Amino acid sequence: MNTHLGALCAGICILGAGPSVAASFDILTDFDFGNSGLDRREQAQVKTTIGRAVDFWTTNVTGYAVDDANLVGINVPVRFGSFGPSIIAFVSDRATYPNPASNGTNYSETQPFTINTEFLPLLAANPRIAFNVAIHELAHTIGFGLRWVDNGVYVNGSGQYLGANGLAAYRAEFDPLARYVPVEIETGLPGSDNFHWAETWAGGPLATMTSFIDHGPMVTDTTLLSFRDLGYTTLDSVQPTAVPVPALSPVMLVAFLSLLLLGHRRGRENT
């Protein structure tokens, strides 16, 4: 579930200034397997999984919504460590670009992605889970949850996401009468509350950007279009990618079901 890199540019038109090309959007990963205990084949598997997740996001998030030469992508150091039985992975909010971009937006610049080595055997045996974890955590590196407050689309503790694009998508996708997109504030976990869609939101608990682990990626249009509120250009609807599903042995199936129960009781990926 570690990654690689991908990039797409998107054109925008600035009124009165003629056509302009928005800055290139990249997710630039750097791997340190020193604490992972993985052999070369396993390291390659991790890079492939995260690389596919990078490709997913750089296909669906097509660029910065501003032509700013200072914006050159997001650096994502991928690291490993042991963190107990309840957190599979997390993103550390290390750095934004030093100043807001010319459109006033605060963009992520360096966002380390750390994977819990205690879950590596299960992730290796279950590509759908691994891919879902990578998709989830890379969304945080782009700014999901982490850039909400400083870009004025969320107030901590309110449970109400108010970004215009994300809210419009939520109304179209799930609840036409919604006044806000529900945000998780009830887990009591610092990395979960205020950084994810609520488990009780109308998009359902299986959606990838809720706090708890589920079997496969299910990125909603609400999630995708919320990135427009954070200063990116995106596709109008999520373009999914297929994930191979190997047959689970009885032992691994039991382990997987245990993880689901653990996740819904305690918590999964934290930001």
Side-chain angles (χ1 to χ4, degrees):
M1 66 173 181
N2 281 283
T3 178
H4 193 162
L5 72 95
L8 285 175
C9 292
I12 59 172
C13 183
I14 301 176
L15 185 63
S20 178
V21 177
S24 173
F25 170 66
D26 292 347
I27 299 175
L28 306 167
T29 56
D30 171 67
F31 293 87
D32 182 350
F33 289 104
N35 295 322
S36 70
L38 299 175
D39 60 28
R40 289 187 178 181
R41 181 191 62 81
E42 292 165 335
Q43 292 176 20
Q45 182 181 6
V46 165
K47 288 184 176 182
T48 296
T49 299
I50 293 185
R52 297 184 70 231
V54 167
D55 291 342
F56 171 85
W57 282 120
T58 55
T59 296
N60 285 281
V61 178
T62 54
Y64 293 102
V66 60
D67 184 11
D68 192 324
N70 293 319
L71 299 175
V72 293
I74 302 169
N75 296 311
V76 181
V78 181
R79 305 294 182 257
F80 297 82
S82 179
F83 302 100
S86 61
I87 297 175
I88 294 179
F90 61 90
V91 167
S92 303
D93 188 18
R94 178 178 296 174
T96 59
Y97 281 90
N99 300 300
S102 54
N103 61 352
T105 299
N106 293 286
Y107 288 102
S108 293
E109 193 275 329
T110 299
Q111 307 288 296
F113 175 3
T114 303
I115 301 166
N116 189 347
T117 55
E118 296 187 31
F119 286 98
L120 288 176
L122 185 61
L123 295 173
N126 295 275
R128 287 182 64 87
I129 299 176
F131 187 56
N132 197 16
V133 170
I135 289 285
H136 180 111
E137 299 305 339
L138 288 179
H140 287 310
T141 71
I142 301 169
F144 185 94
L146 295 176
R147 300 276 76 79
W148 285 351
V149 172
D150 48 355
N151 285 305
V153 298
Y154 182 68
V155 174
N156 271 333
S158 69
Q160 301 180 6
Y161 177 91
L162 297 173
N165 292 284
L167 178 54
Y170 183 67
R171 287 169 174 162
E173 205 171 13
F174 302 117
D175 182 357
L177 301 180
R179 294 180 292 109
Y180 56 85
V181 184
V183 172
E184 185 62 72
I185 55 173
E186 297 182 356
T187 69
L189 300 171
S192 293
D193 290 353
N194 298 301
F195 295 104
H196 301 88
W197 303 137
E199 287 284 300
T200 56
W201 79 319
L206 300 183
T208 296
M209 295 315 297
T210 59
S211 291
F212 298 93
I213 187 63
D214 286 295
H215 186 247
M218 194 186 88
V219 179
T220 63
D221 288 345
T222 302
T223 293
L224 176 61
L225 270 64
S226 73
F227 285 114
R228 294 183 182 179
D229 298 322
L230 301 180
Y232 298 95
T233 57
T234 76
L235 300 181
D236 291 330
S237 187
V238 174
Q239 297 298 304
T241 184
V243 183
V245 184
L248 296 180
S249 69
V251 172
M252 291 310 300
L253 180 58
V254 170
F256 169 62
L257 293 175
S258 297
L259 175 62
L260 288 186
L261 292 174
L262 176 67
H264 282 288
R265 210 171 54 239
R266 300 173 71 175
R268 174 240 300 179
E269 290 114 328
N270 285 10
T271 55

